[in-house]
Amino acid sequence: MPPVRRLVVDVLKPHEPPLLEFTTSVAETEHVDGVTSSLIELDQEVQNVKLTFEGTDLDFEAVEDAIENLGGSVHSVDQVACGEQVVTDRRTLQDA
Amino acid sequence: MPPVRRLVVDVLKPHEPPLLEFTTSVAETEHVDGVTSSLIELDQEVQNVKLTFEGTDLDFEAVEDAIENLGGSVHSVDQVACGEQVVTDRRTLQDA
Amino acid sequence: MPPVRRLVVDVLKPHEPPLLEFTTSVAETEHVDGVTSSLIELDQEVQNVKLTFEGTDLDFEAVEDAIENLGGSVHSVDQVACGEQVVTDRRTLQDA
Amino acid sequence: MPPVRRLVVDVLKPHEPPLLEFTTSVAETEHVDGVTSSLIELDQEVQNVKLTFEGTDLDFEAVEDAIENLGGSVHSVDQVACGEQVVTDRRTLQDA
Amino acid sequence: MPPVRRLVVDVLKPHEPPLLEFTTSVAETEHVDGVTSSLIELDQEVQNVKLTFEGTDLDFEAVEDAIENLGGSVHSVDQVACGEQVVTDRRTLQDA
Amino acid sequence: MPPVRRLVVDVLKPHEPPLLEFTTSVAETEHVDGVTSSLIELDQEVQNVKLTFEGTDLDFEAVEDAIENLGGSVHSVDQVACGEQVVTDRRTLQDA
Amino acid sequence: MPPVRRLVVDVLKPHEPPLLEFTTSVAETEHVDGVTSSLIELDQEVQNVKLTFEGTDLDFEAVEDAIENLGGSVHSVDQVACGEQVVTDRRTLQDA
């Protein structure tokens, strides 16, 4: 199976744990070389955050478990890059 | 025949399998060095995703078969790059 | 005659052959090092596509013949770059 | 625990100390290799500033203490990057 | 006299000769290392095109003659870069 | 104290001295390796300019004195970068 | 006095001499390594052009004299970069 190299995941999480702790915990997941979380929106109950993972062969199930163990949930997987080569997608002229 | 080096394909897929599994499966297609899938839109039945493939000589039929075997369908081929050189197209001054 | 190094051509093509086959066929034209086609618009009869060619000395007549042999037609030539040096044009401050 | 490499923090601070002194003081926090502060908005009482920290293993609690000791408060943590690799997140095609 | 290194010229040309032939002919002008023409607009009589020339010491009179010999006319000179160093101009913060 | 490496200062200055003389004078301030001033707005009495300083360890008080000695005043400090590493801040996905 | 390295000057000039001759003449000013002129606007009497100069130590008075000797006038100095280091200014997050 071609390795998963980059994942962008839209996540809903409770206010606790805070984003910092949430991110460092999820970053401990095996095969994760790095993760960046960006706050998108928040209301009284939840925070909507975007998590971008990079690694040599990411394990989404392990990532999802880590998110759920912290009280979060994956709202959607927005981008997946896999294979020997990490492909950067761009808007084509139709949408440029 | 000049090699196909990059392909951008607009795909409609059912919710199952999830985007991750869908992408890693399609990435197994021969001659695919890497593929990135981006979620564009989704409704109750389907997901509209954009798949960008790169390889030394992509085989579209094999790619399309893989997509269809997973319950998806190619809505349109949005971009094709072929030849010894991968040409980056840009908007010309007319559209800039 | 200074070599033609890059050509951007606005093309109308029928749905058959599909964009992939159309592009790989046109890419076989002599002196074409690479070509990228991007779908711009389509309706029931035709597809409007933008073809960007690069080569050491492109032969537009041969390119146009190839396009016409596939049932397509050149709607307009949008950009031509020729000479020893490939010049990138940009919007000037007036239009920036 | 994977190192925290980059932090973007939204801060409310009083007019005193001024942004310069505030930033140089916070920059003294252990593990901070560099910090850039940008003024976002100000009214009669407070300034809203964005602080971006980079380091080999940032200590958020120490950063937050430094901010609070200067009379400021962390309004939100907007971005966290951690791991061996600093991941740059980008908008995906859905939002591009 | 400092050498002229880059010229952007706004040109009106008849439909004949076509843009390709027009550009390759103008590219033969002495001291032109490369020229890129971009179609801006066209109506029934004329095409408005932007020609960007680069060379070690461009001769505008010779360029203008070539344009006029092909039935075109220089509508305006939009940008001139001259000297040992080719200066890239950008919008300043006032216009950014 | 961590060195101040980059400063963006919003300044109001009288028409005299002119921006050029104003900038070259302020540039003489100790520890200033370079300064770029950009005119933002002007009315009959004053000019609003943005001054961006870079240096190994900028001395804001000396900079402010220089500005005031020339009849100007610091309207606000918009950005401060300090530390061993100059951190580039960017909009996060929330604001992108 | 710190050297002036880059100048952006907003100029009003009569139609004669044309922009090309105007620019090559002004480029002869001492210490000018390169100058790029961009046409911004024109009406029946005058052209509004932006001139961007670069050099090791530009002499604005000499530049202004050259502009005035050609019938032009400096409308405003929009940007001045001086010092050992040429500082690129950018919009801060406040204006981004």
Side-chain angles (χ1 to χ4, degrees), chain B residues 16-36:
Chain B
E16 290 304 324
L19 185 59
L20 184 84
E21 200 188 311
F22 186 88
T23 312
T24 50
S25 304
V26 165
E28 292 188 282
T29 312
E30 225 190 336
H31 303 306
V32 170
D33 292 345
V35 52
T36 290

Side-chain angles (χ1 to χ4, degrees), chain A:
Chain A
M1 179 80 82
V4 178
R5 308 290 301 279
R6 181 178 161 94
L7 266 176
V8 178
V9 186
D10 194 85
V11 168
L12 295 174
K13 64 174 282 299
H15 285 283
E16 290 304 322
L19 186 59
L20 184 83
E21 199 187 310
F22 186 89
T23 311
T24 50
S25 303
V26 166
E28 292 188 283
T29 312
E30 225 191 335
H31 304 306
V32 170
D33 292 345
V35 54
T36 291
S37 59
S38 279
L39 179 67
I40 303 299
E41 251 175 334
L42 71 150
D43 63 24
Q44 288 194 316
E45 270 78 45
V46 288
Q47 294 180 340
N48 173 207
V49 297
K50 198 84 85 172
L51 297 177
T52 303
F53 296 86
E54 284 184 2
T56 46
D57 188 8
L58 295 165
D59 175 348
F60 176 67
E61 267 175 46
V63 162
E64 190 166 35
D65 288 347
I67 288 169
E68 287 171 355
N69 292 341
L70 292 155
S73 66
V74 171
H75 173 252
S76 67
V77 172
D78 291 352
Q79 190 181 73
V80 180
C82 54
E84 294 319 311
Q85 201 172 307
V86 180
V87 172
T88 302
D89 60 1
R90 293 185 295 270
R91 299 169 67 180
T92 66
L93 292 186
Q94 190 178 12
D95 315 312

Side-chain angles (χ1 to χ4, degrees), chain B residues 1-2 4 7 60 76-90 92-96, chain C residues 6 8 19-20 23-25 27-28 33-39 50 52 54 78-79 88-91:
Chain B
M1 180 80 82
V4 179
L7 266 175
F60 176 66
S76 67
V77 172
D78 291 352
Q79 188 180 75
V80 180
C82 55
E84 294 319 311
Q85 201 171 308
V86 180
V87 172
T88 301
D89 60 1
R90 292 184 296 269
T92 67
L93 291 186
Q94 190 177 13
D95 315 313
Chain C
R6 181 179 162 96
V8 178
L19 185 59
L20 183 84
T23 311
T24 51
S25 304
E28 292 188 280
D33 292 345
V35 53
T36 291
S37 58
S38 279
L39 179 67
K50 197 85 84 171
T52 304
E54 284 184 2
D78 291 352
Q79 189 180 75
T88 302
D89 60 1
R90 291 184 298 269
R91 299 170 65 180

